[in-house]
Amino acid sequence: TQLLEQSPQFLSIQEGENLTVYCNSSSVFSSLQWYRQEPGEGPVLLVTVVTGGEVKKLKRLTFQFGDARKDSSLHITAAQPGDTGLYLCAGKKNRDDKIIFGKGTRLHILP
Amino acid sequence: NAGVTQTPKFRVLKTGQSMTLLCAQDMNHEYMYWYRQDPGMGLRLIHYSVGEGTTAKGEVPDGYNVSRLKKQNFLLGLESAAPSQTSVYFCASSREFWSRGDSNQPQHFGDGTRLSIL
């Protein structure tokens, strides 16, 4: 059972367009993290959200944690080719739980 | 600042052979982790360590052993490699144990070891 479902699996859009990717679960998570991974490299942390309803912005990236802490979204405004990569969400259900990763959304921005 | 360094970057083994993957971090982090990443499966935790001399099982520990003799190094061993262990292996370290408390501390990942078992 995949506890963190990410959608879509793949997304290819033109430079300048907006997009949203999702990380959903039927379980409540105490916190979620988003990572970006480029080919041949390890994941790099983008943000951590810990409070239901929390919104964090990182330049053109907007992250939201659902009110019920069961889901999260990543919105990119005016996508650029440098945004291309695999976006992973990761979370933990309880304080002492191990980290769970979603399968990721592979994003490709066409110039 | 090198961060997390994994060696080797690539390796091809025959079924039944053994090998050790080395992870080294220079950030004085207490916590270290080994993951495997497979297409369509995401990242799965193999083993982790909460400090020098300690190790613990993750989600998929079977077929692997680990050792943390020095704080900066975390070794992943395959005693008898199987084709099912073909994967990309990532090591990570963190200052705080992210699974405890609402830590915002990131895991710092190495660039991975691509391992093929024939």
Side-chain angles (χ1 to χ4, degrees):
Chain A
T1 303
Q2 183 66 28
L3 290 178
L4 283 173
E5 297 284 348
Q6 290 192 245
S7 60
Q9 279 188 288
F10 304 97
L11 183 59
S12 182
I13 64 170
Q14 291 292 137
E15 180 177 2
E17 293 185 356
N18 301 331
L19 66 105
T20 302
V21 298
Y22 302 92
C23 175
N24 295 315
S25 177
S26 58
S27 302
V28 175
F29 281 80
S30 60
S31 62
L32 279 176
Q33 292 185 335
W34 284 91
Y35 289 80
R36 180 168 65 212
Q37 183 180 16
E38 300 188 24
E41 298 182 7
V44 176
L45 180 70
L46 296 173
V47 77
T48 302
V49 286
V50 298
T51 305
E54 181 177 5
V55 176
K56 283 191 173 180
K57 291 191 175 184
L58 185 66
K59 296 183 181 178
R60 294 176 293 99
L61 278 61
T62 301
F63 303 85
Q64 184 163 8
F65 201 12
D67 291 341
R69 291 188 286 122
K70 291 183 177 182
D71 53 81
S72 181
S73 64
L74 159 59
H75 182 79
I76 301 179
T77 303
Q80 298 178 1
D83 296 327
T84 292
L86 178 67
Y87 288 80
L88 297 162
C89 69
K92 60 182 177 75
K93 292 171 63 179
N94 301 304
R95 280 182 166 270
D96 294 326
D97 272 355
K98 299 179 181 63
I99 303 156
I100 301 168
F101 278 84
K103 295 180 181 181
T105 291
R106 193 165 296 279
L107 177 64
H108 186 55
I109 309 302
L110 303 168
Chain B
N1 190 352
V4 178
T5 302
Q6 292 184 234
T7 53
K9 295 190 184 302
F10 305 94
R11 187 72 183 268
V12 178
L13 291 178
K14 293 182 180 179
T15 297
Q17 287 185 317
S18 63
M19 80 160 294
T20 300
L21 281 64
L22 173 63
C23 175
Q25 52 97 2
D26 61 4
M27 295 172 283
N28 201 34
H29 286 168
E30 285 292 335
Y31 309 102
M32 298 187 74
Y33 317 81
W34 273 108
Y35 292 89
R36 59 179 290 173
Q37 186 175 37
D38 302 292
M41 297 296 291
L43 279 161
R44 293 182 292 171
L45 184 65
I46 305 171
H47 286 281
Y48 63 97
S49 169
V50 300
E52 181 178 320
T54 74
T55 64
K57 294 181 179 180
E59 180 186 355
V60 288
D62 294 342
Y64 305 95
N65 57 75
V66 288
S67 63
R68 183 99 181 269
L69 298 179
K70 292 184 178 181
K71 185 177 183 178
Q72 64 268 33
N73 296 335
F74 195 28
L75 278 62
L76 177 70
L78 285 74
E79 290 188 349
S80 180
S84 61
Q85 294 177 304
T86 292
S87 187
V88 182
Y89 291 86
F90 286 98
C91 175
S93 71
S94 63
R95 187 170 60 178
E96 296 174 7
F97 191 42
W98 192 69
S99 284
R100 290 184 180 173
D102 294 326
S103 169
N104 289 341
Q105 292 300 313
Q107 292 183 72
H108 296 265
F109 285 83
D111 286 340
T113 294
R114 189 173 296 275
L115 184 62
S116 294
I117 315 297
L118 304 178

